[in-house]
Amino acid sequence: MQVSVEKRASVNSETDLFAVLTTSINSENWRLPPRWAEIDGWVDGNLKRVVDLGDFSGKAGQTVRLYSKDGTSPKRIILVGIGNSKEVGPKELRNACSIVIEEATKLESRRVAVLPPLERRLSSSACLQAMSEGFVLGGYRYDQYQTAKGKPKSVAHAAILIETANLRTARRASGAGIAIAESQNLARDLSNQPPWDLNPVTLAEAAKEMAKATGLRCKIEDLQGLKKLKMGAMLAVAQGSSNPPRLITLEHNAPKPGQKSRRPTVCLIGKGVTFDSGGLSLKPSGSMVTMKHDMSGGATVIGAMRACALLRLPIHVVGIVGAVENMPSGTAYRPDDVVTSASGKTIEIGNTDAEGRLVLADALHYARTTFEPDALIDLATLTGACVIALGKWCAGVLANNEALASRIQVAGETTSERFWQLPLWEDHRKFIKSHIADVKQVGGREAGTITAAAFLSHFVEDTPWAHLDIAGVANTDQASTGQPRGATGIGVRALIELLQNWKKL
Ligand code: BES
Ligand code: ZN
Ligand code: ZN
């Protein structure tokens, strides 16, 4: 889909669907706004009638469809409610634009135009960005595995109509929204792809291809490379699968080889378990379904790196994804094994299903020692306990640096991706003491999300670090506005919001 920003006057009869976004209306003392007179004319006075009759009040998410009286104006008019004008912001506009695209798709409308409310506040860059995101996210479908028959035609062109805003600034904001949302859709695509086709090797190839297209530096370590790096924790997980592991490194604004960047450096680290069967600590069959999404943290990192490149963020960003498949077999690692991580610390294995933290242990160590970053941020579908604690409403954030944790939360509020902080104290580290090795891989049943983070904390030392547990929000079995069933691509928007405004911690 092509998204553009146009002057309102550009609308003509080639527009298949013309959407009017409207804040709440009190029909009693309501009068047709002059800027709607033309539209009301197209539909023979039905716009005014539908409001006068109380059939449309502008409640958020409400829609009414009207039809043009002849062939000289847009064919269909749709009113889309965005709620109380005092409460309307980027989130409501993003949702409204997703609704428009979803309606347009149902109607097989190819050309769509959206007229936002006139309020100055609602033509800000943040709002134009959010509207463009709404189009791109609302147009997302994962239908590569459905044979062509009966697929609805997708919208070809969506225009945001502006009346007073500056066209150039508006187009820049919209362009950012498109880049970010398309990157989120890339993360969704990767996460949705079945594990037969998306394994560590093909995930690395996809990252490499994206890097080539956007100008990111890309380095892939294979089995030999991982052995050289002594990544015993990650290799232990990989050992049970016939698909070999990969360590993916993407770099935006990479300094010359061997030099340290003069810009601030932030490392994003993603869990890339392309399928999590649990390994020898095999998951029950029901819990294994959806475990193709266990690389969603890695997918988000790849998506975010794409957006960093397209938006030319002024900082040095490194994306690292530990890609492995966790399978049971005669060569698989076992509970009771002790593995040596890249940091040299030994880990007593308690459960082969707690594989994500092993992958992250080595990836975090690699990130910290190779890039000496100002901050480490990891994303992982790490614990079922997080789904129990926080449900599907937000991701968990745990950190050794309060400023970083709170900035992530603020960024998430801005982009409508919620993060909720859980404590991480010295006390929690006691639960992962081992009698036989330096550290135990798993704590007990209590506070599983926190003990997992406590384990990770052993591998970041003093570097400011935040861990995002996205187990509950990486995928959904319930469709909602702008979000079909399946992968969400959670975190791409918040990470970009955070990195775009990066300040020293
Ligand atoms: N990938 C799972 C976590 C998960 C569970 C993600 C449900 C999404 C939905 C992770 O590797 C895992 O299995 N963790 C175990 C850890 C336990 C063995 C300490 C868990 O949460 O049960
Ligand atoms: Zn697992
Ligand atoms: Zn897992």
Side-chain angles (χ1 to χ4, degrees):
M1 175 179 18
Q2 203 196 336
V3 176
S4 69
V5 181
E6 310 291 341
K7 287 280 182 195
R8 180 177 168 178
S10 70
V11 170
N12 57 33
S13 60
E14 271 163 35
T15 303
D16 297 303
L17 184 66
F18 183 94
V20 186
L21 309 191
T22 55
T23 55
S24 298
I25 295 169
N26 180 355
S27 65
E28 273 163 34
N29 45 24
W30 182 78
R31 294 179 58 192
L32 187 78
R35 62 191 278 270
W36 283 6
E38 185 194 5
I39 307 167
D40 197 37
W42 296 341
V43 295
D44 220 1
N46 274 320
L47 198 169
K48 182 169 181 333
R49 219 160 283 144
V50 92
V51 176
D52 284 343
L53 288 172
D55 290 6
F56 181 81
S57 66
K59 201 166 73 197
Q62 193 185 17
T63 58
V64 165
R65 213 184 281 163
L66 302 168
Y67 291 89
S68 165
K69 64 177 174 192
D70 55 38
T72 60
S73 52
K75 298 179 188 67
R76 304 171 188 83
I77 319 299
I78 176 177
L79 306 180
V80 182
I82 53 175
N84 195 325
S85 85
K86 287 198 194 85
E87 285 151 30
V88 175
K91 179 184 178 188
E92 290 69 27
L93 293 171
R94 185 187 298 109
N95 278 339
C97 287
S98 289
I99 291 175
V100 172
I101 292 301
E102 282 156 10
E103 283 288 306
T105 309
K106 270 187 247 158
L107 296 166
E108 299 207 354
S109 295
R110 301 284 288 161
R111 299 184 68 83
V112 178
V114 173
L115 184 68
L118 197 55
E119 277 108 309
R120 181 179 285 257
R121 190 170 59 83
L122 300 182
S123 53
S124 67
S125 289
C127 287
L128 285 155
Q129 178 183 323
M131 289 179 68
S132 306
E133 289 169 0
F135 286 143
V136 176
L137 297 173
Y140 180 79
R141 285 197 303 269
Y142 192 73
D143 54 12
Q144 275 149 257
Y145 287 84
Q146 281 164 353
T147 46
K149 266 180 279 168
K151 272 195 214 177
K153 277 208 192 92
S154 53
V155 176
H157 185 228
I160 302 171
L161 303 174
I162 59 173
E163 287 162 289
T164 53
N166 176 292
L167 202 55
R168 267 187 55 173
T169 353
R171 283 186 172 151
R172 187 166 335 116
S174 166
I178 298 165
I180 293 166
E182 282 180 346
S183 300
Q184 182 174 346
N185 283 350
L186 166 64
R188 286 170 163 182
D189 267 347
L190 292 171
S191 177
N192 278 330
Q193 197 170 4
W196 181 272
D197 288 332
L198 191 108
N199 53 55
V201 174
T202 55
L203 179 61
E205 278 164 8
K208 198 169 182 177
E209 199 181 302
M210 182 279 286
K212 210 173 147 197
T214 53
L216 291 167
R217 182 187 288 174
C218 176
K219 193 166 174 217
I220 312 280
E221 298 287 355
D222 62 8
L223 187 62
Q224 284 313 312
L226 289 169
K227 283 185 181 161
K228 250 195 215 141
L229 290 163
K230 297 194 162 52
M231 293 201 170
M234 179 166 159
L235 284 167
V237 179
Q239 216 173 281
S241 172
S242 51
N243 286 312
R246 293 288 185 265
L247 182 76
I248 306 163
T249 303
L250 298 165
E251 240 181 306
H252 167 65
N253 282 335
K256 292 209 180 78
Q259 281 181 15
K260 188 158 163 44
S261 178
R262 269 175 308 196
R263 306 168 192 261
T265 300
V266 179
C267 289
L268 309 176
I269 295 100
K271 167 176 173 180
V273 175
T274 57
F275 186 72
D276 182 10
S277 70
L280 288 178
S281 312
L282 197 66
K283 285 183 185 293
S285 342
S287 317
M288 218 183 279
V289 179
T290 69
M291 280 303 140
K292 67 172 181 181
H293 295 297
D294 212 21
M295 36 57 73
S296 297
T300 293
V301 167
I302 294 170
M305 290 308 298
R306 179 184 182 275
C308 284
L310 293 177
L311 300 178
R312 299 169 195 262
L313 295 200
I315 61 172
H316 177 213
V317 190
V318 186
I320 295 167
V321 180
V324 287
E325 186 179 46
N326 188 22
M327 296 289 268
S329 79
T331 58
Y333 80 130
R334 307 156 268 257
D336 279 356
D337 271 338
V338 172
V339 302
T340 305
S341 68
S343 71
K345 283 188 185 171
T346 57
I347 303 165
E348 178 194 354
I349 303 301
N351 189 319
T352 64
D353 196 11
E355 82 298 337
R357 63 195 74 185
L358 297 173
V359 175
L360 289 177
D362 281 346
L364 284 165
H365 174 81
Y366 174 77
R368 183 177 68 77
T369 54
T370 312
F371 300 99
E372 297 171 10
D374 298 276
L376 292 161
I377 302 169
D378 78 71
L379 294 96
T381 46
L382 205 63
T383 63
C386 192
V387 192
I388 301 300
L390 299 174
K392 296 254 165 196
W393 292 279
C394 59
V397 50
L398 302 100
N400 65 3
N401 183 297
E402 288 308 305
L404 182 59
S406 98
R407 274 195 218 171
I408 290 170
Q409 284 187 289
V410 170
E413 283 303 319
T414 306
T415 61
S416 299
E417 297 172 301
R418 285 203 158 127
F419 298 93
W420 195 255
Q421 195 178 1
L422 298 175
L424 180 55
W425 296 317
E426 193 48 44
D427 310 61
H428 295 116
R429 284 166 57 121
K430 294 195 190 106
F431 287 88
I432 48 165
K433 283 217 170 105
S434 168
H435 295 293
I436 179 168
D438 296 335
V439 57
K440 213 161 69 172
Q441 174 211 25
V442 286
R445 268 175 53 81
E446 292 165 20
T449 305
I450 305 179
T451 51
F455 172 85
L456 297 179
S457 74
H458 278 273
F459 303 90
V460 298
E461 309 280 339
D462 296 331
T463 306
W465 157 73
H467 158 62
L468 310 181
D469 194 329
I470 57 169
V473 290
N475 57 283
T476 172
D477 50 20
Q478 239 179 344
S480 57
T481 303
Q483 176 59 62
R485 276 182 66 155
T488 59
I490 187 81
V492 172
R493 300 202 306 266
L495 285 175
I496 295 306
E497 175 68 22
L498 175 80
L499 296 172
Q500 225 159 13
N501 307 304
W502 186 259
K503 277 178 219 79
K504 225 172 141 75
L505 281 166

